[in-house]
């Protein structure tokens, strides 16, 4: 199971007219994909949650297809009253368990450095101790930046790490309660 964050316009491109695109994606990959309700955002953002379930190979295929579809769509110049962020298209933001973050970072940051070098990407994981970062208890955001091929190769590695984490599959939440900017949500 993998959860990621995407803007509403991206989700619209994934759903398609009458859910047509979503059905095609499901049939092509054999995985399960669910999206949070319209205007139901990940706390502290204006992005919806996308849940992907399936065996690691089908979850990766689904994630790759979703990311490719988003990168190649024609974006409106204004989204939610703000200019479209072209840089965001180059990123994949995963919602991961704290335990998975440890598996990605490794002792002294050795694993995250190895992943970045091996896949030619930049990885950023939210810090649990930084009060400026909006967070949900037991969750962190892992941001992967790079060109599409590099991000896709890195995603294989990350999906395998998520799948190997017994704690990662516990929370299939895609709808979060609305909260104030200063709140920390406890699951």
């Amino acid at each position: 199971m993998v959860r990621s964050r995407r803007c509403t316009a991206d989700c619209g491109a994934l759903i398609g007219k009458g859910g047509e695109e979503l059905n095609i994606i499901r049939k092509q990959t054999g995985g399960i994909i669910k999206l949070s309700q319209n205007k139901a955002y990940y706390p502290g953002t204006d992005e919806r949650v996308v849940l992907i379930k399936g065996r690691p190979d089908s979850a990766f295929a689904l994630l790759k297809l979703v990311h490719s579809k988003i990168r190649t769509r024609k974006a409106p110049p204004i989204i939610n009253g703000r200019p479209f962020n072209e840089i965001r298209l180059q990123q994949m933001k995963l919602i991961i368990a704290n335990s998975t973050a440890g598996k990605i970072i490794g002792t002294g940051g050795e694993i995250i450095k190895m992943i970045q070098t091996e896949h030619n990407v930049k990885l950023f994981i939210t810090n649990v101790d930084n009060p400026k970062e909006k967070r949900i208890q037991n969750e962190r955001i892992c941001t992967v930046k790079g060109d599409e091929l590099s991000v896709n190769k890195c995603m294989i590695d990350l999906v395998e790490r998520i799948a190997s984490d017994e704690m990662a599959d516990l929370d299939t939440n895609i709808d979060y309660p609305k909260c104030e900017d200063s709140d920390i949500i406890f699951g």
Side-chain angles (χ1 to χ4, degrees):
M1 178 202 69
V2 179
R3 289 183 297 154
S4 81
R5 289 180 14 204
R6 298 298 342 169
C7 77
T8 299
D10 292 347
C11 290
L14 293 177
I15 296 168
K17 189 175 184 178
E20 184 178 312
E21 289 297 318
L22 201 54
N23 289 331
I24 291 169
I25 291 170
R26 286 176 177 148
K27 286 177 186 172
Q28 286 179 344
T29 63
I32 296 168
I33 182 170
K34 294 182 181 180
L35 289 87
S36 61
Q37 296 296 315
N38 191 23
K39 298 187 181 183
Y41 303 126
Y42 188 83
T45 75
D46 61 355
E47 294 185 329
R48 292 171 65 182
V49 177
V50 179
L51 171 71
I52 293 172
K53 290 182 81 171
R55 295 180 326 276
D57 59 329
S58 64
F60 168 70
L62 187 48
L63 195 60
K64 180 180 172 184
L65 190 59
V66 163
H67 196 56
S68 176
K69 183 170 278 299
I70 289 167
R71 281 185 183 235
T72 58
R73 75 174 174 81
K74 293 209 182 278
I78 303 289
I79 298 175
N80 292 340
R82 294 192 321 232
F84 175 69
N85 184 354
E86 195 72 37
I87 294 170
R88 181 65 176 95
L89 285 179
Q90 306 304 313
Q91 302 173 353
M92 176 62 78
K93 291 186 181 257
L94 300 177
I95 303 165
I96 60 172
N98 278 340
S99 54
T100 304
K103 291 178 180 283
I104 294 170
I105 296 168
T107 305
E110 69 208 31
I111 295 174
I112 196 168
K113 290 174 190 168
M114 184 262 317
I115 293 170
Q116 290 180 110
T117 302
E118 185 175 319
H119 301 297
N120 194 30
V121 296
K122 293 289 183 190
L123 284 177
F124 304 94
I125 298 178
T126 53
N127 186 336
V128 295
D129 298 325
N130 186 345
K132 293 181 181 179
E133 291 180 348
K134 184 72 165 176
R135 71 178 190 89
I136 308 300
Q137 186 181 29
N138 301 322
E139 291 183 357
R140 303 195 34 204
I141 302 299
C142 175
T143 302
V144 184
K145 292 182 178 181
D147 65 77
E148 187 170 9
L149 183 60
S150 298
V151 169
N152 286 342
K153 287 180 180 178
C154 182
M155 295 312 296
I156 294 170
D157 193 334
L158 294 177
V159 166
E160 287 173 355
R161 290 177 192 281
I162 292 168
S164 73
D165 184 359
E166 296 161 1
M167 300 300 291
D169 203 29
L170 295 179
D171 192 359
T172 58
N173 185 36
I174 57 173
D175 293 309
Y176 293 85
K178 291 186 180 195
C179 60
E180 300 298 319
D181 286 340
S182 62
D183 289 348
I184 294 177
I185 307 295
F186 294 94

